[in-house]
Amino acid sequence: MGSKLSSLGYNVYEETGVRCTNHHISKWGIILGIRNDIQVSQPISISDTSLYGRAVAVDIILGTSAGIGFTHRIIGRIRPVESRCG
């Protein structure tokens, strides 16, 4: 899915779903698309294993007409309805 957003003028940050240990299903995963004309400072590493495949974060810089940039953190988070995976 991330490759489709790339072709539409977005930088894509993706956390793919993690397979459940006792099921044949995977957690959903999450994709965050940032338009190419928005400056990305850095993607943020997710270090908490309970958030793998459920959260993605990126620091962006938004410029002003005065030439000043402000850093903002964008966080994408999902909690699947199907919570049998834990």
Side-chain angles (χ1 to χ4, degrees):
M1 182 59 135
S3 61
K4 291 182 181 179
L5 284 174
S6 293
S7 65
L8 296 174
Y10 287 83
N11 292 313
V12 176
Y13 302 90
E14 185 171 11
E15 284 289 327
T16 57
V18 178
R19 183 164 293 284
C20 298
T21 55
N22 295 324
H23 287 276
H24 64 282
I25 58 176
S26 295
K27 294 180 184 176
W28 293 6
I30 188 165
I31 298 171
L32 176 64
I34 306 288
R35 284 185 5 194
N36 284 340
D37 60 346
I38 296 175
Q39 183 178 357
V40 174
S41 173
Q42 64 180 350
I44 306 300
S45 298
I46 304 297
S47 58
D48 187 335
T49 57
S50 68
L51 293 175
Y52 288 166
R54 294 184 177 187
V56 62
V58 176
D59 284 344
I60 64 169
I61 299 174
L62 297 177
T64 67
S65 59
I68 300 170
F70 293 96
T71 302
H72 294 273
R73 180 163 290 168
I74 298 176
I75 301 170
R77 169 81 165 89
I78 188 170
R79 184 186 185 293
V81 175
E82 185 61 56
S83 61
R84 292 182 295 177
C85 298

